[in-house]
Amino acid sequence: MTITTDAKDLQQDLARLRHDLHRQPEIGLHLPRTQERVLQALDGLPYEITLGKDTTSVTAVLRGGHPGAGGQKNAGVSNARPAVLLRADMDGLPVQEKTGVDFTSQADGAMHACGHDLHTSMLAGAATLLAEKRHQLAGDVVLMFQPGEEGFDGASYMLREGVLDAAGPRVQAAYGMHVFSSLEPHGTFCTKPGVMLSASDGLEVTVLGAGGHGSAPHSAKDPVTVAAEMVTALQVMVTRQFNMFDPVVLSVGVLHAGTKRNVIPESARIEATVRTFSEASRVKMMEAVPRLLKGIAAAHGVEVAVDYLQEYPLTITDEDETHTAEKVIGSLFGERRLARWATPLSGSEDFSRVLAEVPGTFIGLSAVAPGADHANSPFNHSPYATFDDGVLADGAALYAQLAISRLATLYAAS
């Protein structure tokens, strides 16, 4: 029996868990029902469970039963007990679902629009597979069930609470996975060594003018026209101050002012997301954006408050760990199921914080429906984004085999 065969035997259970999570999505750092379902999935398995103090995270440690896992490779020779980490995020998004699937979200205004219900189910499946193959583990496995990835920086909470050291010695490798509802054909695993995902920062701008009558703008200080100029100027700045081969993406998502068409308001609000692909560009944007906006405000005689908010850093995968993952993918599913990206994706991830601490990699998995047009399917975060259950067993198998294989090499090298 292979691990993929064992995983297929779990497929129906994983699909039921995924549908249950999908019907009842929770948002943010506190996901009590999701945590309860994870604990139910782990119940009866030989894991050491730790619950988060400030979040509803779940950390589960499995002690390997391989003769070498006890820390003695050879008689009289002491070796550090190796450990690896597998991570799944669990939270949903404030999106009203419009997919029409028969397990549509029952929570008004909330949806698993990014596939975290699949991640959680796959890691729960891996937990079962690893427990069944405990005797093969030449070390320990740490399962990281994380809330709050979608803008709440849940990974940082778990890092502060010691998830990397949950097994005792610090984990020596870490692996995360993310499903996509488009981009690649069904079942394709995606890797990229180095910068895989952009850094993400937030921009919040308030333009403070002086209100007045719309018929007499000269008697007021109109913040609306100033805000409009700022939006345009930000785009021009990106194209003129940054190297096109080290891209910057700035998108304004909020532009708000006023209450009535003939009233000049006192203030206008701009909110934007900023994505960068190098630390140098990230630092430069932090300096250039406030300088530009304050200059425009001064030119028009208004005030401006600029908050540049650092969010998630670059997701940088380790080259050796990425190669390890590619070998495991090839051995389990064949080379045709593997796509190595030439360029990073402009999404961002707080798993970047884990990869900044220990070597590891992040793996994409296409959950596009078989035969669907992956180039035009609604992407993650869309209210129409759908993810196919058919990838659940493969994701669980990959999680488990990554742990088994990596612990074997870590033990052999110790």
Side-chain angles (χ1 to χ4, degrees):
M1 298 289 285
T2 66
I3 200 162
T4 53
T5 302
D6 292 344
K8 283 181 171 59
D9 290 340
L10 299 175
Q11 173 65 27
Q12 291 186 354
D13 291 339
L14 300 184
R16 279 193 291 269
L17 173 57
R18 185 257 165 146
H19 293 179
D20 185 42
L21 294 173
H22 194 90
R23 289 189 187 97
Q24 299 292 335
E26 296 175 296
I27 297 169
L29 296 169
H30 299 286
L31 322 174
R33 187 179 183 279
T34 305
Q35 183 189 58
E36 180 183 5
R37 290 297 287 114
V38 169
L39 293 175
Q40 289 172 359
L42 298 175
D43 187 41
L45 300 177
Y47 284 86
E48 300 168 9
I49 306 292
T50 304
L51 304 184
K53 297 177 181 177
D54 295 323
T55 74
T56 52
S57 66
V58 177
T59 300
V61 178
L62 179 66
R63 303 293 180 184
H66 185 279
Q72 294 292 325
K73 180 176 179 181
N74 299 304
V77 179
S78 177
N79 300 280
R81 185 183 181 97
V84 299
L85 179 144
L86 306 173
R87 177 268 204 166
D89 41 8
M90 305 187 293
D91 55 321
L93 281 158
V95 173
Q96 185 66 47
E97 183 163 4
K98 298 180 181 180
T99 63
V101 298
D102 60 8
F103 50 92
T104 292
S105 170
Q106 298 172 0
D108 188 44
M111 175 189 175
H112 269 296
C114 206
H116 296 186
D117 50 336
L118 281 83
H119 304 165
T120 303
S121 301
M122 291 189 296
L123 190 57
T128 297
L129 295 171
L130 288 166
E132 292 173 350
K133 299 181 183 300
R134 188 180 184 186
H135 63 281
Q136 296 182 26
L137 297 177
D140 303 328
V141 182
V142 178
L143 305 184
M144 177 181 178
F145 290 94
Q146 179 211 308
E149 188 278 329
E150 295 289 358
F152 294 87
D153 205 1
S156 67
Y157 287 83
M158 295 193 73
L159 288 175
R160 285 196 295 272
E161 292 182 1
V163 67
L164 299 182
D165 305 301
R170 174 153 292 209
V171 297
Q172 293 166 270
Y175 303 100
M177 206 180 314
H178 206 300
V179 294
F180 298 109
S181 60
S182 63
L183 297 181
E184 301 283 351
H186 171 82
T188 302
F189 291 94
C190 314
T191 60
K192 185 185 180 303
V195 177
M196 185 177 189
L197 300 173
S198 66
S200 172
D201 294 318
L203 176 62
E204 298 179 356
V205 180
T206 303
V207 182
L208 303 168
H213 199 290
S215 66
H218 62 284
S219 299
K221 291 184 178 180
D222 188 355
V224 176
T225 53
V226 177
E229 182 177 333
M230 288 176 173
V231 171
T232 302
L234 285 167
Q235 301 302 328
V236 173
M237 180 196 72
V238 166
T239 66
R240 291 298 177 265
Q241 296 187 34
F242 289 84
N243 188 334
M244 70 180 73
F245 297 107
D246 184 8
V248 172
V249 178
L250 187 151
S251 295
V252 174
V254 173
L255 182 58
H256 178 77
T259 57
K260 193 172 176 63
R261 67 177 183 271
N262 65 343
V263 176
I264 294 174
E266 290 189 349
S267 65
R269 179 79 172 171
I270 301 168
E271 295 183 21
T273 185
V274 182
R275 309 295 169 125
T276 50
F277 296 86
S278 71
E279 192 60 28
S281 286
R282 192 182 194 196
V283 171
K284 184 176 179 180
M285 280 293 286
M286 292 174 61
E287 298 169 348
V289 167
R291 181 177 66 237
L292 174 71
L293 300 184
K294 289 176 182 178
I296 293 172
H300 291 279
V302 300
E303 301 294 322
V304 65
V306 181
D307 291 322
Y308 198 100
L309 310 171
Q310 281 191 291
E311 295 173 343
Y312 295 166
L314 293 158
T315 299
I316 303 175
T317 68
D318 181 82
E319 186 167 355
D320 290 339
E321 295 296 346
T322 301
H323 290 163
T324 294
E326 290 171 342
K327 291 177 183 176
V328 173
I329 292 167
S331 67
L332 291 180
F333 309 108
E335 297 295 333
R336 64 180 182 80
R337 294 275 301 274
L338 176 63
R340 175 179 273 205
W341 286 343
T343 58
L345 191 68
S346 54
S348 303
E349 252 286 345
D350 66 353
F351 189 61
S352 56
R353 300 201 185 279
V354 175
L355 296 181
E357 296 289 332
V358 297
T361 197
F362 200 53
I363 302 158
L365 172 57
S366 175
V368 176
D373 181 2
H374 61 274
N376 294 306
S377 298
F379 189 50
N380 296 32
H381 289 216
S382 166
Y384 299 98
T386 58
F387 303 85
D388 181 56
D389 289 337
V391 302
L392 290 170
D394 286 352
L398 179 57
Y399 267 134
Q401 191 59 49
L402 282 169
I404 293 168
S405 298
R406 193 65 182 102
L407 285 174
T409 58
L410 285 169
Y411 171 67
S414 64

